[in-house]
Amino acid sequence: MTCPPLHRPRRLRATGALRAMVAETRVDPAQLVLPVFVQEGIIEPAEITSMPGVRRHTMETLAKTAAEVVELGLGGMMLFGVPSEENKNATGNQAIADDGILNQALRRVRAEVGDATVIMADTCLDEFTTHGHCGVLDKDGRVDNDATLERYAEQAVAQASAGAHMVSPSGMMDGQVGVIREALDSAGFFDVGILAYSAKYASGFYGPFREAVSCSLEGDRRTYQMNPANRREGSYETALDIAEGADMVMVKPAGYYLDIISDVATLSDVPVAAYQVSGEYAMIQAAAQRGWIDQARVLHETVVSILRAGADVVLTYGAMELASALLKRKE
Ligand code: PBG
């Protein structure tokens, strides 16, 4: 007779209660952030073909969504503005204007929910520029780093004035966190935080987002976003952002960049966020619609994996669905 095994790890997997007790990673709605789009000049919310279940909101449905975010106990929401075509220009002025769609939306959401959730703003020009780049262009058509920094500083102050709790520079310009911190402080917004997109890669997974914000991008973002081939550089970029005063750092995309999340979690003294981006979400939806995977289960599993890798906070278009499922399980 062969010896029975001395170690039986299966013992702790025998019942749901045992598995729940020893789970190393748990998801709480408070760790989830919902990205939301608000579009100028529409009367009804607009579907986004490549992101089933996600809509571009009117100001009214945005306010309703903010109330639901609070109701579900989500950590926060990240706002993106979609201006009408006639309100785009080469320098993205409507990103800074008080009555620009994103700044209006921030004001509305803050009035609606106050401090009951964390209101974050995308601090970037790409939704507002006719060429679709994240910054302003120089005379040769290249993205001008330092000229863009001046715009970001103004945009961050405008967003803080409109009620954002945190601004989120996502344009990957060198020095953006430092410049924004200085601008916020000079304007007296000492308590407005910076969630820095620190390790943001030039990714094909942003495809559906470009549809969501009607991005008019010519070319690509490879001269400012990072090369997906680079791991060490993710740590370098993150260290720079922390040194410049980032209150939180972010890795993006998330699910295919777990090694980067793990590195960043190890080196970072500040909380780490990860963004499950539009393409990651769309792939889950597309397979689920065909009945090939179980949507709720895979959504949960992907978020658990991102947390397990070391993220503290996850931005996901599935935040509401996941939070509802978690709350139901507790009932
Ligand atoms: C830039 C920005 C982008 C995303 C978030 N902020 C687009 C880009 O960098 O091309 C992508 C988010 C997603 O794909 O879900 N403002």
Side-chain angles (χ1 to χ4, degrees):
M1 207 187 84
T2 53
C3 269
L6 182 58
H7 298 284
R8 292 186 185 273
R10 285 186 57 190
R11 242 177 238 136
L12 295 182
R13 297 175 201 143
T15 69
L18 278 162
R19 291 191 295 271
M21 184 180 74
V22 300
E24 295 175 38
T25 309
R26 295 173 206 279
V27 193
D28 188 286
Q31 297 174 291
L32 304 175
V33 172
L34 179 72
V36 284
F37 304 105
V38 56
Q39 183 168 10
E40 188 170 35
I42 54 171
I43 331 165
E44 291 292 323
E47 301 294 328
I48 302 161
T49 334
S50 51
M51 299 176 74
V54 181
R55 300 180 310 172
R56 286 184 277 200
H57 287 288
T58 66
M59 210 54 90
E60 289 314 309
T61 61
L62 172 72
K64 240 181 90 212
T65 303
E68 286 166 25
V69 161
V70 172
E71 183 84 6
L72 284 167
L74 294 188
M77 53 202 294
M78 171 71 76
L79 269 61
F80 295 93
V82 186
S84 7
E85 287 303 317
E86 69 269 17
N87 274 334
K88 292 185 180 182
N89 69 9
T91 47
N93 288 9
Q94 285 294 306
I96 295 161
D98 251 5
D99 62 351
I101 181 67
L102 178 52
N103 295 327
Q104 279 188 46
L106 288 165
R107 220 167 264 120
R108 178 66 194 269
V109 169
R110 185 65 186 263
E112 190 76 23
V113 300
D115 293 334
T117 192
V118 182
I119 303 164
M120 307 175 186
D122 184 54
T123 310
C124 193
L125 300 180
D126 65 322
E127 289 93 5
F128 298 93
T129 53
T130 33
H131 47 71
H133 277 293
C134 295
V136 292
L137 306 182
D138 66 15
K139 58 179 178 8
D140 302 316
R142 286 181 304 222
V143 175
D144 185 333
N145 193 87
D146 296 11
T148 301
L149 292 184
E150 292 174 29
R151 315 289 296 170
Y152 286 176
E154 287 182 64
Q155 185 181 17
V157 170
Q159 293 175 338
S161 320
H165 293 104
M166 300 195 88
V167 298
S168 302
S170 63
M172 289 301 282
M173 296 301 129
D174 294 334
Q176 61 188 13
V177 173
V179 162
I180 287 174
R181 184 69 269 160
E182 202 182 302
L184 289 173
D185 288 351
S186 322
F189 292 111
F190 300 104
D191 294 331
V192 171
I194 300 175
L195 165 57
Y197 286 69
S198 299
K200 177 173 178 178
Y201 289 85
S203 172
F205 287 101
Y206 306 150
F209 178 93
R210 306 262 165 94
E211 182 202 334
V213 299
S214 310
C215 180
S216 15
L217 182 66
E218 298 150 17
D220 61 52
R221 307 200 198 286
R222 287 178 229 248
T223 68
Y224 42 104
Q225 298 180 347
M226 288 168 52
N227 182 345
N230 294 354
R231 177 170 180 172
R232 195 190 302 122
E233 195 184 357
S235 299
Y236 176 46
E237 282 280 8
T238 303
L240 292 176
D241 283 358
I242 295 173
E244 288 175 31
D247 298 281
M248 289 177 65
V249 292
M250 181 145 75
V251 175
K252 179 181 173 192
Y256 292 81
Y257 291 73
L258 298 180
D259 53 335
I260 313 297
I261 295 175
S262 170
D263 289 352
V264 166
T266 303
L267 80 89
S268 179
D269 299 320
V270 299
V272 176
Y275 197 146
Q276 181 175 56
V277 298
S278 54
E280 297 178 75
Y281 175 80
M283 282 165 51
I284 297 174
Q285 290 283 340
Q289 281 185 350
R290 284 164 182 74
W292 293 347
I293 59 171
D294 174 338
Q295 168 159 329
R297 181 171 174 182
V298 169
L299 180 62
H300 182 262
E301 182 175 335
T302 52
V303 170
V304 165
S305 299
I306 293 163
L307 294 171
R308 191 192 62 229
D312 303 291
V313 171
V314 181
L315 284 78
T316 171
Y317 299 95
M320 285 215 181
E321 182 190 332
L322 182 52
S324 313
L326 292 168
L327 294 172
K328 256 187 223 124
R329 217 176 288 172
K330 280 199 184 133
E331 275 168 11

